């Protein structure tokens, strides 16, 4: 009986902790942002996109670009399913149009207004007028 | 080293790798911590560390990432469990203590990756920790629950199937 209560207690604590984490994330505002794609810091594409409060960077990318995200084995997948069953979605972006990374020797770095982003494509708060850069970085260089 | 023991270590290391891959569709949920503690409870620390070394190399080969920035923290993260077991828990083994070790191990495993990620990508350590926190919480809780419920019954089956001399 004690084990059951301890298990329920630990699951409730996990749910509460994840809920508080979710609350700590900044909410989105609607507007327009500029999205740039770069390869090793060299600009390859630039476009403006309107977004709503319900959008995330992921939904914007999915709507306007050809993207692939990591699956559970870190292989690129068009399904782009969130890598979590807990409510905290954590997609890892691997391909965006011509940008291609493999997660092992290269990755896509996200910057917002020139600063490295604190969150990934599912949690990053979007603000009107933001300039978001997706830069394919190679670790071999 | 006795042949029987070597064969046993090879089989158990394979089991560790296979279960991880079989459960890889649920991120940060696996029986690795449970099995590593189970193996640590019967093998010497040296043997446990050797099994983990082989496991990390095989896992990295399978995932196509023979990268020291992944392999070293992965090994250190897993090796913490048998080290803590042999230094703190072994003499007063208790299921709640074991489950707590699994819980703490989940956080340690995540934190050990931080300096390597900072070195490799230049990410701010505080940001890395914040982003990794939900995944550490999931791993720690799943470790706690799986050890709490499965450690004792598994150890009974394990003890019946694996002769003690094969682990000494």
């Amino acid at each position: 009986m004690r084990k059951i209560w301890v298990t329920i207690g630990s699951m409730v604590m996990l749910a509460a902790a994840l809920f508080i984490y979710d609350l700590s994330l900044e909410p989105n505002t609607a507007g327009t942002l500029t999205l740039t794609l770069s390869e090793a810091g060299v600009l390859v594409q630039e476009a403006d996109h309107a977004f709503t409060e319900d959008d995330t960077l992921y939904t914007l990318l999915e709507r306007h670009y050809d993207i692939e995200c990591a699956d559970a084995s870190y292989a690129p997948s068009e399904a782009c399913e969130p890598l979590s069953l807990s409510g905290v979605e954590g997609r890892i972006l691997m391909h965006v149009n011509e940008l291609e990374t493999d997660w092992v020797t290269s990755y896509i770095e996200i910057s917002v207004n020139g600063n490295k982003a604190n969150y990934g494509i599912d949690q990053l708060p979007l603000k009107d007028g933001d300039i978001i850069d997706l830069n394919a970085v190679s670790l071999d260089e | 080293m006795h042949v029987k023991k070597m064969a046993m270590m090879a089989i158990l290391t394979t089991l560790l790798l296979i279960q991880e891959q079989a459960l890889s569709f649920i991120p940060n949920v696996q029986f690795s911590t449970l099995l590593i503690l189970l193996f640590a409870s019967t093998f010497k620390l040296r043997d446990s560390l050797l099994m983990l070394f082989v496991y990390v190399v095989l896992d990295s080969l399978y995932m196509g990432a023979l990268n020291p920035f992944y392999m070293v923290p992965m090994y250190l993260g897993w090796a913490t469990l048998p080290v803590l077991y042999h230094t703190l828990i072994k003499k007063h083994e208790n299921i709640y203590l074991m489950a707590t070790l699994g819980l703490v191990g989940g956080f340690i495993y995540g934190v050990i990756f931080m300096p390597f990620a900072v070195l490799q990508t230049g990410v701010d350590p505080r940001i890395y920790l914040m982003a990794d926190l939900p995944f550490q919480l999931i791993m720690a809780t799943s470790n706690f629950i799986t050890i709490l419920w499965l450690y004792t019954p598994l150890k009974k089956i394990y003890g019946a199937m694996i002769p003690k001399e094969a682990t000494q």
Side-chain angles (χ1 to χ4, degrees):
Chain A
M1 195 64 184
R2 189 179 168 195
K3 265 191 197 177
I4 294 173
W5 284 114
V6 171
T7 304
I8 293 170
S10 58
M11 290 179 86
V12 168
M13 279 166 64
L14 173 66
L18 293 175
F19 180 70
I20 292 166
Y21 176 84
D22 207 39
L23 284 181
S24 75
L25 300 175
E26 280 183 67
N28 283 347
T29 55
T32 303
L33 57 77
T34 303
L35 196 63
T36 59
L37 304 184
S38 310
E39 188 130 31
V42 178
L43 184 70
V44 291
Q45 193 176 333
E46 181 175 338
D48 290 341
H49 300 291
F51 62 92
T52 67
E53 289 172 1
D54 295 329
D55 272 322
T56 61
L57 184 54
Y58 164 68
T59 60
L60 271 186
L61 289 167
E62 190 199 27
R63 206 178 303 144
H64 300 288
Y65 297 82
D66 291 328
I67 62 168
E68 289 185 339
C69 309
D71 64 12
S73 304
Y74 291 93
S77 161
E78 286 181 7
C80 256
E81 286 172 355
L83 287 181
S84 178
L85 300 178
S86 61
V88 178
E89 296 181 336
R91 290 179 181 86
I92 295 168
L93 192 60
M94 294 183 78
H95 295 182
V96 189
N97 286 1
E98 60 264 62
L99 300 188
E100 294 201 355
T101 59
D102 63 9
W103 183 247
V104 178
T105 61
S106 54
Y107 66 96
I108 293 179
E109 181 184 80
I110 305 169
S111 299
V112 181
N113 303 323
N115 300 314
K116 282 183 187 176
N118 293 357
Y119 298 99
I121 57 172
D122 284 301
Q123 270 94 28
L124 185 72
L126 305 178
K127 299 260 183 297
D128 185 34
D130 275 350
I131 301 171
I132 297 179
D133 180 50
L134 303 177
N135 180 31
V137 177
S138 171
L139 297 170
D140 294 333
E141 288 169 3
Chain B
M1 192 184 281
H2 202 283
V3 174
K4 200 182 269 184
K5 182 176 166 183
M6 282 172 65
M8 200 55 69
M9 286 167 70
I11 291 166
L12 294 174
T13 305
T14 309
L15 187 69
L16 191 60
L17 186 71
I18 287 171
Q19 64 78 34
E20 188 198 60
Q21 295 306 325
L23 288 170
S24 63
F25 68 96
I26 316 174
N28 289 44
V29 175
Q30 28 65 32
F31 296 131
S32 303
T33 308
L34 169 72
L35 292 177
I36 289 168
L37 285 176
L38 192 67
F39 303 160
S41 72
T42 47
F43 285 93
K44 290 175 186 160
L45 176 61
R46 179 187 63 183
D47 299 330
S48 300
L49 294 178
L50 182 62
M51 287 162 78
L52 287 174
F53 179 76
V54 174
Y55 163 66
V56 167
V57 171
L58 288 176
D59 187 59
S60 301
L61 279 172
Y62 182 77
M63 299 295 282
L66 271 176
N67 181 339
F69 286 95
Y70 293 106
M71 288 177 69
V72 175
M74 195 193 295
Y75 182 70
L76 292 175
W78 289 133
T80 307
L81 293 167
V83 169
L84 287 176
Y85 175 82
H86 282 278
T87 51
L88 298 175
I89 311 273
K90 195 176 181 181
K91 284 182 184 150
H92 24 88
E93 196 176 303
N94 164 298
I95 191 59
Y96 287 97
L97 207 55
M98 293 290 282
T100 306
L101 175 59
L103 182 97
V104 173
F107 290 106
I108 292 174
Y109 186 82
V111 170
I112 283 177
F113 274 84
M114 186 195 70
F116 293 86
V118 170
L119 273 176
Q120 191 177 29
T121 65
V123 66
D124 184 327
R126 287 171 304 147
I127 290 165
Y128 179 89
L129 277 181
M130 275 307 289
D132 198 40
L133 190 62
F135 298 97
Q136 288 180 22
L137 280 166
I138 295 163
M139 186 180 180
T141 310
S142 76
N143 284 351
F144 183 83
I145 293 170
T146 51
I147 292 168
L148 190 64
W149 285 95
L150 299 177
Y151 182 80
T152 308
L154 260 184
K155 189 151 187 186
K156 274 186 196 154
I157 299 167
Y158 182 78
M161 290 176 68
I162 298 171
K164 198 171 180 188
E165 65 269 17
T167 63
Q168 300 303 307

